[in-house]
Amino acid sequence: MGTTQLETVPEPKYWHLRTVLSEALDSEFSVGEILPNERELAARFGVARATLRQALEQLELEGRLQRRRGVGTTVAPPRMGVAVGSERQVWPGASGDDWQATDCALTVPSPAVALMLEAGEGEQVHTVRRSRVSHGQPVAADLLHIPASSVPELSAIDSPTGSSRARAVLRELQRLDLDGQDRAVELGSARADDARELDRLPGAPVLVVTTRFFAQGRTAAVSVATYRADTCRLTFGAEGAVEIHDAPRRQAS
Amino acid sequence: MGTTQLETVPEPKYWHLRTVLSEALDSEFSVGEILPNERELAARFGVARATLRQALEQLELEGRLQRRRGVGTTVAPPRMGVAVGSERQVWPGASGDDWQATDCALTVPSPAVALMLEAGEGEQVHTVRRSRVSHGQPVAADLLHIPASSVPELSAIDSPTGSSRARAVLRELQRLDLDGQDRAVELGSARADDARELDRLPGAPVLVVTTRFFAQGRTAAVSVATYRADTCRLTFGAEGAVEIHDAPRRQAS
């Protein structure tokens, strides 16, 4: 890295610095390498710490850098492609599903989810907690909300919570004919429980994927899945479509 | 808003403050309303300015708050649902397309795009700039990259740039049989040119949608579209599927 002075550049300083840093990452750093500390970087580029931090935050948003407590700022590996949508429309828990159901509880969903499910105010629904691992790393945490009306034959004998209950609820759900599903993707920040599961801090940027499952002319279940935005690229496409590849980046030797 | 002291709470202070603020937004504020300034808010909640800023940043990530220069922090309206994927597979520029082609130029694409297009290093491709408006607001800016091999009959007579050239390139592209397409969605930060078009600052969080269009057994075009992450929720689903609705929020009176 050079010692370019950024004082005279007309575009925002942090933006110019981001571009300079990004080029330095391409040419001088390897994946996994630890960057010099903030004080040192700020001095080298002749910018205030606040400007440097803005530029680092942007490169973190873009998935170029990772900041980890106790480690510092490292050069991130390319994001993983994680398949979210496909032409195959299946119920959660069907064979070939990428998710692991870990728990189940009766909860009152958020007002937004209650509205989609046409659940009354304060009405409890079965909430199955699921997690998804890809390439050995946790990539997503999910809450799947299922009103009692979607699983009318669910036995009341079992424990109302736990992973075996989760599997029982999913089994019952699969008895319905799935008419279709749709999805929405938006930016969010990780809730404390999801953050713990995803090995992130509460409030870390996440991609929130909301899926509605339709059966019998209504929304029979709603999944709200939280994907790590730093490590994941969500892919949507034809079954078996090739993953979009990154430009090759140098690997740490 | 109360004056809750957050000193004794075990979870991160900014996260707890975010939750408290989020509840206050629901119960005490209307869409469009301006929040008290940072100094005032920090004093009320008994937190440091840095903690307050972290909490405000999170609520901004979640689309609950908008920060605008010269205006301050306001309560954001619910995000717009913007349809991105559908079962209908069509070329860009086909009738019913949501995009406006504004310009065209020969450019050298990024290494990632060049790889997808199997373009040689330094090879120029036609790059059509497009913009998308929804509900009267700019929601996305797009660069559509088309190698010369995808539009072999393109006349060399026209001007190599401008909106009429863009339309000519899209017209030629539509002569190919579209075999399919796939998409990837990831978090990014707005480049300076996109930011200007989207009325944001460079580096603002955006959702980057990369679409590959397949024809004749290869990738015939690649679109890299940048959607405002603050105002947009991207929807994917069956043709004509109902948009996912937010819980009702109070409107400014």
Side-chain angles (χ1 to χ4, degrees):
Chain A
M1 273 188 225
T3 55
T4 327
Q5 294 294 317
L6 299 165
E7 303 307 314
T8 57
V9 177
E11 63 186 339
K13 265 185 224 170
Y14 65 88
W15 183 254
H16 182 70
L17 178 60
R18 172 223 157 263
T19 309
V20 172
L21 278 170
S22 177
E23 285 163 6
L25 292 181
D26 282 334
S27 61
E28 297 171 38
F29 285 83
S30 313
V31 168
E33 204 170 331
I34 300 174
L35 256 59
N37 67 38
E38 287 189 4
R39 197 167 42 78
E40 209 173 314
L41 285 174
R44 271 203 212 175
F45 289 97
V47 296
R49 287 281 281 275
T51 304
L52 176 73
R53 246 179 243 138
Q54 270 187 294
L56 293 176
E57 269 167 27
Q58 248 128 44
L59 290 166
E60 201 184 359
L61 270 189
E62 293 168 40
R64 302 294 311 277
L65 293 177
Q66 275 176 327
R67 286 195 281 185
R68 284 177 294 179
R69 281 184 301 185
V71 176
T73 302
T74 57
V75 181
R79 285 176 171 154
M80 284 179 275
V82 180
V84 170
S86 79
E87 282 158 5
R88 205 169 53 117
Q89 306 248 339
V90 290
W91 284 116
S95 68
D97 189 324
D98 300 304
W99 296 86
Q100 185 85 30
T102 56
D103 201 2
C104 184
L106 281 165
T107 69
V108 175
S110 72
V113 171
L115 195 70
M116 289 186 244
L117 291 172
E118 297 169 47
E121 203 186 312
E123 186 184 325
Q124 289 193 321
V125 301
H126 300 287
T127 300
V128 175
R129 175 169 273 282
R130 303 188 300 159
S131 65
R132 183 171 176 180
V133 168
S134 185
H135 301 82
Q137 288 174 48
V139 292
D142 178 54
L143 292 179
L144 178 67
H145 304 280
I146 303 159
S149 57
S150 296
V151 287
E153 321 244 323
L154 186 68
S155 157
I157 297 168
D158 311 339
S159 152
T161 61
S163 63
S164 65
R165 178 64 165 189
R167 285 190 297 273
V169 169
L170 293 179
R171 245 187 340 261
E172 283 302 311
L173 185 62
Q174 287 164 37
R175 294 157 68 112
L176 291 179
D177 283 327
L178 179 61
D179 295 332
Q181 61 197 54
D182 68 8
R183 284 193 182 77
V185 179
E186 63 189 307
L187 181 59
S189 69
R191 286 196 322 271
D193 53 344
D194 291 337
R196 202 175 314 119
E197 201 172 320
L198 297 174
D199 194 18
R200 304 244 64 199
L201 289 176
V206 290
L207 296 169
V208 180
V209 180
T210 305
T211 307
R212 297 189 297 180
F213 297 90
F214 305 114
Q216 301 178 323
R218 59 184 183 77
T219 304
V222 170
S223 142
V224 181
T226 297
Y227 286 81
R228 283 183 66 150
D230 56 337
T231 54
C232 294
R233 164 199 286 125
L234 310 184
T235 65
F236 296 80
E239 195 70 7
V242 188
E243 183 178 307
I244 293 182
H245 294 287
D246 263 288
R249 289 199 202 150
R250 295 195 309 160
Q251 295 294 316
S253 51
Chain B
M1 274 188 225
T3 55
T4 327
Q5 295 293 318
L6 299 166
E7 304 307 314
T8 57
V9 177
E11 62 186 341
K13 267 186 224 171
Y14 64 89
W15 182 253
H16 183 70
L17 177 60
R18 172 224 156 263
T19 308
V20 172
L21 277 169
S22 178
E23 285 163 7
L25 292 180
D26 282 334
S27 61
E28 298 170 38
F29 285 83
S30 313
V31 168
E33 204 171 328
I34 300 174
L35 256 59
N37 67 38
E38 286 189 3
R39 197 166 42 79
E40 209 174 314
L41 284 173
R44 273 204 211 175
F45 290 97
V47 296
R49 287 280 282 274
T51 305
L52 176 73
R53 246 179 244 139
Q54 269 187 294
L56 293 177
E57 269 167 26
Q58 249 129 43
L59 290 167
E60 201 184 0
L61 269 189
E62 293 168 39
R64 302 294 311 277
L65 293 178
Q66 275 176 327
R67 285 194 282 185
R68 283 177 295 178
R69 279 185 301 183
V71 177
T73 302
T74 58
V75 181
R79 283 174 172 157
M80 286 179 274
V82 179
V84 170
S86 78
E87 281 158 5
R88 205 169 54 116
Q89 306 248 340
V90 291
W91 284 115
S95 68
D97 188 324
D98 299 303
W99 296 87
Q100 185 85 31
T102 56
D103 200 2
C104 185
L106 282 165
T107 69
V108 175
S110 72
V113 171
L115 196 70
M116 290 186 243
L117 291 172
E118 297 170 47
E121 202 184 315
E123 186 185 325
Q124 289 192 321
V125 301
H126 300 288
T127 300
V128 174
R129 176 170 270 282
R130 302 188 301 159
S131 65
R132 184 172 175 177
V133 168
S134 185
H135 301 81
Q137 289 173 48
V139 292
D142 177 55
L143 292 179
L144 178 66
H145 304 281
I146 302 159
S149 56
S150 295
V151 287
E153 320 246 320
L154 185 70
S155 158
I157 298 170
D158 312 338
S159 151
T161 61
S163 62
S164 65
R165 178 65 165 187
R167 286 191 296 274
V169 169
L170 294 180
R171 245 188 340 262
E172 283 303 309
L173 186 62
Q174 286 165 38
R175 294 159 68 113
L176 291 179
D177 284 328
L178 179 62
D179 295 332
Q181 61 198 51
D182 68 8
R183 283 192 182 77
V185 179
E186 63 188 305
L187 181 60
S189 69
R191 285 197 321 272
D193 54 344
D194 291 337
R196 203 175 312 118
E197 200 171 321
L198 297 174
D199 194 19
R200 305 245 63 200
L201 288 176
V206 290
L207 296 168
V208 180
V209 180
T210 304
T211 308
R212 297 190 297 180
F213 297 91
F214 305 113
Q216 301 178 322
R218 58 182 183 79
T219 304
V222 170
S223 143
V224 181
T226 298
Y227 286 81
R228 283 182 65 150
D230 55 339
T231 55
C232 295
R233 164 199 288 122
L234 309 184
T235 66
F236 296 79
E239 195 70 8
V242 189
E243 184 179 304
I244 293 180
H245 294 287
D246 262 288
R249 289 198 201 153
R250 295 196 307 159
Q251 295 293 317
S253 53

